[in-house]
Amino acid sequence: MKVLDLRCAQDHRFEGWFASEEEAQSQISRDLVQCPVCGDHAVTRLPSAPRLNLSGATAPKGAAKPAQQTAQQAAPPATLQALYLKAVKQVLAQTEDVGDRFAEEARRMHYDEAPERGIRGSASPEEVQALAEEGIETFPLVVPDALKQTAH
Ligand SMILES: [Zn+2]
């Protein structure tokens, strides 16, 4: 298994998992690799992290194993970012953007004055607090800038 750090033309960084080095080259050159954030096929390889960290001081052999285990347990930030972006994209696709009317719409749905549906929008902390007191649950969602540009 070959794990490569990849980057699309929009500078999104993510990991690509390939069966081998040759497979990676082949898939990248045939535009089969897609950015999980924006779907871009113009993907380039980044130098892998271990190579960047070669500063002359190499860890003793005995210490290599625990380090590897730690690396596997903690997902790399790039992967988490990709997963998060994917989840946010899903929410964006399944909800209606009501903008500043979020609190108003949430309230109308709660009191059956508007059809029940998934909505998203902006609300002040006070509005969210007021909604919570009325038994209307909301959850905060931070939409990364990368998605704000593409989601309308
Ligand atoms: Zn991208």
Side-chain angles (χ1 to χ4, degrees):
M1 186 62 73
K2 186 87 186 164
V3 183
L4 297 177
D5 291 318
L6 303 171
R7 185 180 65 188
C8 80
Q10 313 289 323
D11 206 27
H12 301 132
R13 286 154 199 237
F14 56 97
E15 273 190 348
W17 292 58
F18 303 94
S20 66
E21 175 78 30
E22 292 74 31
E23 185 66 23
Q25 287 292 6
S26 164
Q27 290 197 20
I28 293 169
S29 64
R30 285 184 292 154
D31 287 346
L32 293 178
V33 184
Q34 200 179 6
C35 169
V37 180
C38 68
D40 194 350
H41 287 277
V43 165
T44 53
R45 285 175 62 170
L46 291 171
S48 65
R51 227 178 293 159
L52 285 174
N53 290 341
L54 275 184
S55 56
T58 47
K61 278 225 154 63
K65 210 169 181 187
Q68 275 176 358
Q69 281 173 351
T70 312
Q72 279 172 0
Q73 280 163 8
T79 305
L80 283 177
Q81 186 191 24
L83 283 174
Y84 182 70
L85 287 173
K86 206 173 161 188
V88 171
K89 262 188 168 176
Q90 230 161 28
V91 170
L92 292 182
Q94 291 167 1
T95 55
E96 181 188 332
D97 187 2
V98 296
D100 294 340
R101 295 183 296 109
F102 179 81
E104 184 191 329
E105 283 299 316
R107 203 167 269 128
R108 287 179 62 202
M109 286 190 325
H110 186 71
Y111 296 110
D112 290 331
E113 291 164 15
E116 187 82 32
R117 65 208 194 278
I119 59 170
R120 68 179 192 276
S122 50
S124 67
E126 293 78 27
E127 283 175 328
V128 170
Q129 178 66 31
L131 288 172
E133 280 166 10
E134 290 176 54
I136 305 169
E137 283 189 24
T138 61
F139 69 97
L141 179 73
V142 179
V143 178
D145 288 340
L147 287 182
K148 278 181 187 156
Q149 290 156 13
T150 50
H152 287 287

